[in-house]
Amino acid sequence: MAPAETYTAQATALQLVDSLKKHKDIAYSNESLYLYGNGDGGGGPLEAMLERLRRVEDVDGMPRVKHAHPNEFYEHVEKTAKELVSWKGELYFELHRGTYTSQALTKKFNRQCEMLLRDIEMLSVIAQTVDSKFVYPAEELTRMWQQVCLNQFHDVIPGSSIEMVYEDSTAIYKEVVASAVALKQQALSVLVASSTDALHATGLAVVNTSSWARTEVIAVPGLVHQAGCVQQMRKRDDVALVLATVSGCSVHAVDLSTQAAAVEQVTPVRVIREKDGSVVLQNAFVAARISADGRLTSLLDLQQQRELVPSGASGNVLELYDDLPIFWDAWDIEIYSQEKVRPVLGASITVVDEGPLVASVAVEAKVGKASSIRQWISLSASSARLDFDCDVDWHENRKCLKVAFTWDIYSDQATYETQFGVVQRPTHRNTTWDMAKFEVCAHKFADLSEYGYGVALLNDCKYGYSTLANTMTLTLLRAPKAPDANCDMGHHSFRYAVYPHTGTFNESNVVREAYHFNLALSHLPVDFSATNLAALSSFFALDNAPNVVLDSVKAAEDDPRDIVVRLYESYGGHARATLSTSLDVVAAHTANILEEKDTELELGQAVAPGQGQSVALRFRPFEIVTVYFSVNPSRK
């Protein structure tokens, strides 16, 4: 914040003098920014403000005033200032913590659009290399990204706008999603020309846009149960489940006639009913006990024989808080709300699926005076991740719904994902700074780890977290009444998951698992006998650096036939990675975010046969690296 301690200054003589008095870095630089005008959509600078500033430009006894571009200020400070104080760590804003949760649908659409547009960019790049007639939808992608970014304006995405704003933003999001789904389908139809309807499918083309290989259970609507093919139908919606293994950044054909043999290669997940009414979901990795009232009372790592829930504690504890901020309903969550919390009681469970690919239970409970929740807690045969799919009918007044997990893990720090990296925050409240972080922002996960072991709490559209001692909390819904009196009233669907892992966070694959939780495998039903997807394997591969994420693949802005790949180091360490591509490229350069080429990279042989050419890359902690690939001119 500038010394005036506001971004809506009124350009009065008193405020200008006060700004000078509050300039704490005046010993290092005698200049500062002064941000004036009626902000928050109020119209900006007024004529009277401009006139007052003109009159005091060079007046004895007053600070001198000059209108200039902010870049000029920063460039001048960089040249003239001496021994500037630096800050290490997070600039945590001790206010407006409710904005991580308010207007849940907006936040869900935002995450969905971010992932969907990422997929379209990558698939469209690949499609135009497979089919020269395919035109990369650059103009439409730009329009959609602009619409998504428009809704990232405050106060839209924070959830602090009036109701009419969300009528408009929801319409914008729905239009973007509809257009994006159509574009994704167009790109997929180029990659998988032998697609058919699900009713007559003998195979499944599975598309993986992450750089990591994946073995997962996929839900495929429309497939019918056949002996030897579909091994399980998910009971809650009668959808077929298929086990698939696919390499990173590739398309793989699954022969449905071999599903029985494929399922036999994995340990089936099973359900164990206990005498006390609890249910155990167990696979080769973990055994999760769900109590008769829907709580996670045990999570046992079978391979490490490590119990993760302390005796007498539990997870998946739904909690309802009184949520009455002092000033701003939609903006704030106050620390005193934690003193007025009631657990959601009276839940019931029902066994739904019993394997071999997925086991699940349904949990139903009344929440507050007028709301209800239904959860499907599921465990697949392919992962240690325990998923919670939630449907909520929400009709509360100034209440906040959270879910809490208590672990047998102790650490002074918890790790939270932010954009292109992570930040660590205290799990105690020793000081006022620590106490202020009773509710913090995160993207796809938070992780609590000690030496040798940890657990991550993942989500698909939530942003408010808290960790106190060994209890992690995810904020699910709020019910503020201003400035939108109907904020978040109605139906909501969302997912969260717990993912146990050996080692500390830095030794784990939590970043990968969080991506996969948010980035579903795409699939198309095909006639397997007519499908030849061998040429569509491993468009890109990333080797030798498990801490590096291949975040996006897109067409270059200046030449849509050239390719831009953006990667980042995700754990806070150095890395040396090898990026390979099977696409027909003739040159590679590092580039900046604006895609301006910098250093030329040497094209070498790929790590694995058939992966084409590769480049060697080095990363500093949390560094974003952009690679610009020039495509063979004959392909343009």
Side-chain angles (χ1 to χ4, degrees):
M1 183 67 75
E5 296 182 354
T6 180
Y7 53 85
T8 58
Q10 299 297 297
T12 63
L14 180 62
Q15 279 188 342
L16 289 167
V17 172
D18 198 38
S19 179
L20 177 63
K21 291 179 179 178
K22 292 179 178 179
H23 190 178
K24 298 176 182 177
D25 290 323
I26 200 166
Y28 309 106
S29 174
N30 66 349
E31 290 188 348
S32 67
L33 285 175
Y34 184 73
L35 309 177
Y36 69 96
N38 293 337
D40 282 349
L46 302 182
E47 185 176 356
M49 299 176 189
L50 294 168
E51 178 61 20
R52 287 195 292 270
L53 290 173
R54 186 190 67 79
R55 293 187 181 190
V56 298
E57 281 182 354
D58 191 11
V59 175
D60 284 348
M62 293 287 293
R64 294 185 177 179
V65 178
K66 174 186 177 182
H67 277 99
H69 193 282
N71 284 356
E72 182 179 334
F73 164 76
Y74 288 113
E75 289 168 359
H76 187 260
V77 167
E78 187 177 27
K79 292 177 182 177
T80 61
K82 53 187 178 181
E83 299 178 355
L84 284 174
V85 175
S86 62
W87 180 269
K88 169 69 174 173
E90 180 182 20
L91 290 170
Y92 179 78
F93 184 52
E94 298 183 2
L95 201 64
H96 296 350
R97 302 168 186 89
T99 60
Y100 311 150
T101 306
S102 298
Q103 298 290 355
L105 182 60
T106 294
K107 292 171 170 63
K108 181 176 180 177
F109 270 132
N110 178 74
R111 182 79 63 84
Q112 180 184 7
C113 288
E114 287 177 339
M115 293 298 175
L116 192 52
L117 295 183
R118 174 197 179 276
D119 269 6
I120 295 169
E121 288 177 336
M122 180 182 293
L123 295 173
S124 297
V125 163
I126 299 170
Q128 74 175 358
T129 65
V130 172
D131 184 355
S132 60
K133 295 180 181 179
F134 181 88
V135 178
Y136 185 89
E139 185 174 331
E140 179 63 2
L141 274 166
T142 297
R143 185 193 70 82
M144 290 190 294
W145 272 120
Q146 288 173 343
Q147 293 287 70
V148 173
C149 290
L150 171 67
N151 284 339
Q152 290 181 351
F153 165 80
H154 93 283
D155 292 84
V156 181
I157 199 171
S160 47
S161 287
I162 61 175
E163 186 172 6
M164 290 174 62
V165 169
Y166 294 103
E167 294 172 359
D168 290 346
S169 65
T170 298
I172 289 171
Y173 278 129
K174 287 181 177 179
E175 186 277 327
V176 168
V177 170
S179 179
V181 168
L183 287 178
K184 183 175 179 179
Q185 191 63 32
Q186 290 175 18
L188 287 173
S189 65
V190 171
L191 299 180
V192 186
S194 59
S195 61
T196 183
D197 62 277
L199 188 62
H200 299 94
T202 59
L204 197 67
V206 182
V207 184
N208 180 13
T209 58
S210 86
S211 60
W212 300 286
R214 302 168 69 168
T215 297
E216 293 184 11
V217 177
I218 308 170
V220 186
L223 282 184
V224 295
H225 189 279
Q226 302 175 47
C229 295
V230 176
Q231 298 300 296
Q232 184 181 351
M233 302 294 289
R234 190 167 62 188
K235 291 183 179 179
R236 78 173 189 238
D237 50 11
D238 201 31
V239 168
L241 299 176
V242 174
L243 181 66
T245 299
V246 56
S247 303
C249 294
S250 67
V251 184
H252 176 72
V254 175
D255 183 356
L256 292 178
S257 68
T258 64
Q259 271 292 291
V263 172
E264 287 179 359
Q265 299 301 311
V266 299
T267 301
V269 61
R270 63 194 184 109
V271 172
I272 304 171
R273 293 173 172 84
E274 303 284 4
K275 293 181 179 180
D276 61 359
S278 62
V279 175
V280 177
L281 309 180
Q282 182 173 320
N283 62 12
F285 310 102
V286 297
R289 176 178 284 104
I290 313 299
S291 67
D293 57 356
R295 296 187 177 184
L296 179 67
T297 55
S298 172
L299 184 60
L300 177 65
D301 183 326
L302 297 175
Q303 297 178 351
Q304 299 293 321
Q305 286 299 300
R306 171 74 184 260
E307 173 58 61
L308 299 173
V309 180
S311 176
S314 55
N316 197 42
V317 179
L318 295 166
E319 299 174 333
L320 194 65
Y321 291 73
D322 287 352
D323 191 10
L324 294 163
I326 298 174
F327 296 113
W328 303 288
D329 266 24
W331 284 264
D332 287 343
I333 289 177
E334 303 289 357
I335 193 169
Y336 57 72
S337 68
Q338 299 187 10
E339 299 175 7
K340 302 193 72 175
V341 55
R342 296 179 300 280
V344 173
L345 302 174
S348 62
I349 67 168
T350 305
V351 174
V352 180
D353 297 297
E354 300 190 54
L357 292 176
V358 169
S360 68
V361 298
V363 178
E364 296 185 75
K366 182 180 178 181
V367 178
K369 294 182 178 180
S371 304
S372 62
I373 184 170
R374 188 176 191 187
Q375 292 182 319
W376 287 270
I377 305 174
S378 60
L379 182 67
S380 78
S382 61
S383 174
R385 192 184 75 204
L386 185 65
D387 293 354
F388 300 78
D389 291 25
C390 304
D391 280 341
V392 181
D393 283 317
W394 184 244
H395 303 283
E396 298 304 303
N397 183 352
R398 292 186 172 91
K399 301 293 182 182
C400 179
L401 180 66
K402 300 187 179 188
V403 62
F405 293 85
T406 300
W407 305 117
D408 192 12
I409 292 174
Y410 295 89
S411 174
D412 290 340
Q413 301 284 331
T415 303
Y416 303 86
E417 189 189 40
T418 186
Q419 61 274 36
F420 300 108
V422 295
V423 59
Q424 290 189 321
R425 299 178 176 119
T427 61
H428 53 77
R429 295 177 183 170
N430 286 356
T431 69
T432 56
W433 286 15
D434 300 331
M435 187 177 296
K437 297 177 182 178
F438 65 87
E439 180 87 3
V440 297
C441 184
H443 284 207
K444 297 187 289 294
F445 68 82
D447 182 86
L448 183 65
S449 295
E450 63 183 21
Y451 173 78
Y453 213 93
V455 180
L457 179 55
L458 318 178
N459 76 84
D460 75 340
C461 60
K462 303 300 175 185
Y463 295 89
Y465 279 92
S466 174
T467 306
L468 179 60
N470 59 332
T471 297
M472 304 179 75
T473 304
L474 179 66
T475 305
L476 304 177
L477 291 168
R478 299 186 67 223
K481 296 305 174 186
D484 177 1
N486 296 305
C487 175
D488 284 336
M489 295 297 98
H491 179 263
H492 297 271
S493 61
F494 50 84
R495 300 162 60 234
Y496 55 87
V498 293
Y499 178 66
H501 59 85
T502 56
T504 63
F505 168 74
N506 284 342
E507 299 165 310
S508 75
N509 56 4
V510 167
V511 173
R512 180 184 72 185
E513 196 67 28
Y515 259 89
H516 290 173
F517 188 65
N518 282 266
L519 198 63
L521 290 170
S522 302
H523 50 80
L524 286 175
V526 296
D527 178 358
F528 186 79
S529 62
T531 301
N532 181 16
L533 299 180
L536 299 181
S537 61
S538 299
F539 293 102
F540 293 92
L542 191 60
D543 296 287
N544 305 325
N547 54 330
V548 173
V549 175
L550 192 157
D551 185 69
S552 55
V553 176
K554 62 183 289 291
E557 295 295 319
D558 294 336
D559 187 346
R561 287 290 173 178
D562 287 340
I563 302 167
V564 171
V565 180
R566 188 156 291 129
L567 314 94
Y568 71 96
E569 197 287 316
S570 60
Y571 284 83
H574 288 76
R576 299 178 66 176
T578 302
L579 174 64
S580 306
T581 179
S582 60
L583 305 183
D584 191 5
V585 299
V586 295
H589 294 77
T590 57
N592 60 19
I593 295 295
L594 298 177
E595 300 179 11
E596 297 168 335
K597 296 179 185 177
D598 187 10
T599 305
E600 184 171 5
L601 299 169
E602 181 182 353
L603 285 171
Q605 195 67 30
V607 174
Q611 287 184 341
Q613 302 179 87
S614 68
V615 292
L617 303 172
R618 292 195 176 196
F619 292 80
R620 297 188 303 275
F622 301 127
E623 182 180 11
I624 302 170
V625 172
T626 302
V627 180
Y628 189 110
F629 284 110
S630 300
V631 174
N632 190 331
S634 64
R635 302 284 299 178
K636 296 184 179 182

